[in-house]
Amino acid sequence: MSKKYVLALDQGTTSSRAILFDHAGQPVGIAQHPFRQIYPKPGWVEHDPREIASSQLGVITEVLVSSGVSPEEIDSIGITNQRETTVVWNRETGVPIANAIVWQCRRTTDIVEEVCARPGVRELIQAKTGLIPDAYFSASKIKWLLDHVPGAREAAEAGKLAFGTVDTWLIWQLTGGAVHATDVTNASRTMLFNIHTLEWDDELLELLDVPRSMLPEVKWSSDDYGSVSNEIMTYGPSITGVAGDQQASLFGHCCFRPGCTKNTYGTGCFMLMNTGDTCVKSERGLVSTIGIALDGKISYALEGSIFHAGATIQWLRDKLGLLSSTKEAADLCKSLEDNGG
């Protein structure tokens, strides 16, 4: 049977989506499913990694059934994902040691402040990673899990635990635990990855007390991430593309040249500007990051983030009951008169 389609997996903060594209790049099927948001305490945000995996596998099945496409017709799979969200699991059993700590979660602020209280550390982290040290990124979340889940630190030091952002967790799930890998763009959001040497940085690992054995192999965004091996696709299409959601958006908007900029609106709002092969340091609070990582070549980017955009609309709807639907928010905005202010 000929390979006619590419399957794109979009694992976001509030839902999992699967889209089938034909060889002309036209979508021929789409399925999307929300999953649970967990708020144990004010400022804490979690996801159940098993729900992430099951919802993603569910939409794969749904899009294949609804479109009438056979799994054997899938040529390859690409993954884009919510960044920074942190999953730690047991290598032997594949079971997460706790819920994933989501990028929005603020519980590790004290860890970052304690680490950066040492002279020169804040500047060191920014110089190596391009990031302004913050609880937003993965490193402090890993440390929190190792320090607070009973037995986790000992298991990690014995090489029994694996860390991954959501792309890594899905790759592990889809390949039946055969591949533990991430791409350069996701690695650059951990606050443990040197964006100049393109390697996990031993000095940063020591600062955050994270064992190197937990970390995934880092690959280019277009690379071989192994073959799928599960009950949905037993024949094994290859995973050949991985990128964090905002970097994937930069690429998808064809921002290939320095100065090209995209802005997207979802759970949060994110602006990324391609700066080419120059890693530009912002004087206005933006972070420097890896924007595109293909064919052995890096394009850097400047990024500005607003953490709560669509999430605020969802909160107004689901928690305060001030909106009956997200569409109502748009209708209210359109109804306002322009007073010239």
Side-chain angles (χ1 to χ4, degrees):
M1 186 174 291
S2 63
K3 307 294 187 181
K4 300 179 181 178
Y5 304 98
V6 170
L7 178 61
L9 306 182
D10 176 9
Q11 203 303 297
T13 307
T14 59
S15 70
S16 295
R17 181 173 2 193
I19 310 174
L20 275 173
F21 293 94
D22 63 19
H23 276 216
Q26 296 300 309
V28 297
I30 183 169
Q32 185 172 5
H33 196 278
F35 57 89
R36 186 167 51 118
Q37 307 297 301
I38 304 168
Y39 306 102
K41 297 181 181 179
W44 291 32
V45 190
E46 297 180 355
H47 292 156
D48 184 336
R50 291 162 293 192
E51 288 185 22
I52 289 176
S54 63
S55 64
Q56 194 67 73
L57 293 172
V59 291
I60 293 173
T61 302
E62 184 178 338
V63 77
L64 293 174
V65 171
S66 63
S67 64
V69 170
S70 167
E72 287 75 16
E73 295 178 277
I74 306 299
D75 175 79
S76 54
I77 296 173
I79 297 173
T80 185
N81 57 282
Q82 54 167 314
R83 305 172 302 171
E84 297 96 16
T85 293
T86 297
V87 186
V88 175
W89 65 95
N90 185 292
R91 289 184 179 275
E92 297 175 357
T93 65
V95 176
I97 66 168
N99 281 338
I101 302 181
V102 179
W103 58 271
Q104 299 159 305
C105 188
R106 304 305 299 170
R107 76 182 68 178
T108 61
T109 298
D110 289 346
I111 292 176
V112 176
E113 290 179 351
E114 181 180 349
V115 169
C116 291
R118 291 173 252 178
V121 167
R122 186 176 298 275
E123 294 76 14
L124 174 72
I125 292 173
Q126 187 169 9
K128 291 191 175 209
T129 69
L131 308 176
I132 298 172
D134 194 87
Y136 175 34
F137 305 109
S138 307
S140 61
K141 304 179 195 300
I142 304 171
K143 177 173 172 53
W144 191 95
L145 288 168
L146 295 183
D147 290 345
H148 288 80
V149 176
R153 173 69 62 185
E154 294 77 11
E157 291 174 351
K160 295 181 179 180
L161 298 185
F163 151 74
T165 43
V166 171
D167 58 308
T168 302
W169 171 244
L170 289 180
I171 292 165
W172 179 281
Q173 293 292 313
L174 290 168
T175 63
V179 178
H180 183 214
T182 188
D183 90 302
V184 173
T185 68
N186 278 293
S188 74
R189 311 300 296 186
T190 61
M191 216 168 76
L192 297 171
F193 188 75
N194 190 313
I195 62 173
H196 307 288
T197 65
L198 304 185
E199 296 176 335
W200 299 117
D201 192 282
D202 287 328
E203 192 170 12
L204 298 179
L205 292 172
E206 184 177 353
L207 277 173
L208 274 302
D209 202 14
V210 174
R212 177 178 273 272
S213 62
M214 297 179 67
L215 303 178
E217 178 185 0
V218 181
K219 295 173 172 281
W220 296 98
S221 294
S222 180
D223 211 325
D224 180 7
Y225 288 86
S227 298
V228 174
S229 176
N230 61 31
E231 63 279 6
I232 300 174
M233 297 181 180
T234 55
Y235 73 97
S238 296
I239 303 168
T240 58
V242 176
D245 53 6
Q246 303 310 320
Q247 282 91 344
S249 174
L250 187 74
F251 186 86
H253 282 86
C254 300
C255 296
F256 305 136
R257 299 186 308 277
C260 289
T261 305
K262 73 88 188 173
N263 199 47
T264 48
Y265 304 86
T267 301
C269 287
F270 298 89
M271 181 281 296
L272 270 74
M273 182 177 73
N274 188 325
T275 63
D277 57 9
T278 302
C279 183
V280 176
K281 182 179 179 181
S282 170
E283 302 298 330
R284 302 284 184 174
L286 302 180
V287 301
S288 307
T289 192
I290 291 175
I292 299 172
L294 289 173
D295 302 325
K297 186 176 186 302
I298 292 293
S299 290
Y300 292 98
L302 282 172
E303 176 174 334
S305 306
I306 299 172
F307 291 174
H308 295 278
T312 301
I313 301 299
Q314 187 179 34
W315 175 71
L316 291 171
R317 182 193 66 191
D318 298 343
K319 298 300 181 182
L320 295 188
L322 297 179
L323 300 172
S324 59
S325 67
T326 52
K327 182 179 181 299
E328 184 180 352
D331 292 341
L332 286 169
C333 290
K334 292 175 182 177
S335 71
L336 297 176
E337 294 183 4
D338 184 358
N339 60 11

